[in-house]
Amino acid sequence: MRIRILGSGAGGGFPQWNCNCANCRAVRAGEPGFSARTQSSLAVSANGRDWVLFNASPDLRQQIAASPALAPSEQDGVRASPIKAVVVTNGDVDHVAGLLNLREAQPFTVHGARRVLDVLAANKIFNVLAPAYVAREELLLGASLAIHGAGVDLGLSVEAFPVAGKIALWLEDAFAANYGSAEGDTLGLKITETASAKSFFYIPGCAGLDAGLAARLAGAELVMFDGTLWHENEMIEQGLLGKTGTRMGHINMSGADGSIEAFSKLDVARKIFVHINNSNPVLNAFSPERAEAEAAGWEIGEDGMEIAL
Ligand code: MLT
Ligand code: MN
Ligand code: ZN
């Protein structure tokens, strides 16, 4: 199975268009230790020819252009794409807006939780994915689904499970409990290659690791995990946004309640942070926070990073 990180940044990317924080200034200036990141997405292939996208970011056009494997090949017809399916983990702008890049009457399948499919159905702009070409299939929680699209069995299955989190920011209801969130608004995925039975976890958004999630991840070969923030209050301390990580629906990396500590007991062979926000000090390759994460066995995801499993 081939896994390619198309985008390792969180919503807004790195640098973010309107952000003048120290990290965004440094990456714009080309300072050593900083690399730009597009928004959160992954591509996976079992056969090296047909690909499944996991989340579709607003930067998808640029990500496809940077990934030769995602272009039509010479022997294809005049309209073709190796992208045969898209699986979305939530309704966040950084995870669904890229679907709009996939218009132009090309067959593929979109898989998402019922809650997210309902949001796509309610927003007519997504009708650019014409129903005659683009199937929409529900991901049932706790069940394993064989991924197929455009008539091709993609040799991958996906098990979706709910993780701690909340409804997408743009769908929040200020007057409802937990802003109107319900089960299925934030999914973790276990992605398995059918032929080899090799698997990994993709969890780009997660507000906390409870005992159930910890048990599920224990002993995994690879986990790609929510790396949004280093510290619960970093957005507030940097004057960027008056919200804690908890309020944003993201666990922080550091501290007694952070992901680094939680994973230290889980015996996961390879751990990669993805969905990294531009405020996170680990984006500086020479920072003490980067050193601390790496010393704990974490890799900091980069755009274009490829993993063979
Ligand atoms: C998030 O991950 O919290 C969202 O992508 C935030 C946003 O929509 O900007
Ligand atoms: Mn996001
Ligand atoms: Zn910034």
Side-chain angles (χ1 to χ4, degrees):
M1 170 163 48
R2 272 177 74 186
I3 304 164
R4 180 177 170 90
I5 298 180
L6 299 180
S8 54
F14 184 49
Q16 176 175 312
W17 73 283
N18 65 339
C19 191
N20 208 15
C21 77
N23 277 348
C24 286
R25 283 202 309 272
V27 72
R28 275 191 203 103
E31 280 184 26
F34 292 86
S35 8
R37 284 168 163 78
T38 60
Q39 293 166 81
S40 177
S41 175
L42 205 68
V44 180
S45 178
N47 62 16
R49 190 183 61 245
D50 303 301
W51 290 80
V52 181
L53 302 187
F54 290 87
N55 290 320
S57 98
D59 302 321
L60 182 57
R61 185 182 176 282
Q62 176 187 345
Q63 293 166 343
I64 291 172
S67 309
L70 299 182
S73 61
E74 246 172 63
Q75 59 271 26
D76 287 332
V78 289
R79 293 283 198 194
S81 170
I83 298 169
K84 298 293 193 292
V86 183
V87 181
V88 295
T89 59
N90 62 19
D92 282 0
V93 172
D94 54 349
H95 288 161
V96 301
L99 290 170
L100 300 176
N101 285 294
L102 300 175
R103 66 193 191 279
E104 317 293 5
Q106 187 65 37
F108 66 99
T109 305
V110 178
H111 297 277
R114 172 51 47 202
R115 296 259 300 169
V116 176
L117 293 185
D118 286 349
V119 166
L120 299 180
N123 282 268
K124 285 196 174 161
I125 195 168
F126 289 103
N127 288 347
V128 295
L129 308 179
Y133 299 94
V134 181
R136 301 182 188 188
E137 270 193 40
E138 183 176 357
L139 275 177
L140 293 169
L141 303 185
S144 182
L145 180 75
I147 303 296
H148 51 88
V152 181
D153 175 357
L154 296 162
L156 298 168
S157 69
V158 169
E159 183 189 347
F161 48 89
V163 297
K166 65 162 186 67
I167 193 167
L169 174 61
W170 64 282
L171 294 168
E172 283 186 4
D173 175 351
F175 303 103
N178 198 18
Y179 311 101
S181 307
E183 187 173 80
D185 281 336
T186 313
L187 299 182
L189 302 178
K190 182 181 186 182
I191 299 155
T192 304
E193 184 181 46
T194 319
S196 66
K198 291 221 169 224
S199 65
F200 75 101
F201 291 88
Y202 176 52
I203 310 174
C206 183
L209 265 94
D210 57 16
L213 180 57
R216 196 188 278 277
L217 301 181
E221 195 167 335
L222 168 66
V223 178
M224 294 182 163
F225 194 74
D226 184 338
T228 310
L229 302 173
W230 176 257
H231 186 267
E232 170 77 351
N233 292 319
E234 80 189 39
M235 300 290 282
I236 298 169
E237 285 169 4
Q238 295 182 42
L240 302 174
L241 185 72
K243 285 184 184 173
T244 61
T246 305
R247 172 64 186 85
M248 293 164 66
H250 296 291
I251 189 174
N252 38 288
M253 295 180 177
S254 65
D257 56 356
S259 53
I260 292 176
E261 173 61 24
F263 272 83
S264 69
K265 305 174 186 92
L266 299 185
D267 189 30
V268 172
R270 195 165 176 192
K271 302 172 283 196
I272 304 176
F273 280 125
V274 293
H275 193 279
I276 305 161
N277 196 55
N278 56 74
S279 56
N280 193 322
V282 302
L283 289 174
N284 177 356
F286 305 120
S287 66
E289 292 87 354
R290 169 76 74 105
E292 189 178 329
E294 288 178 346
W298 284 88
E299 293 169 66
I300 307 304
E302 300 232 5
D303 289 19
M305 190 187 253
E306 290 223 13
I307 296 135
L309 206 63

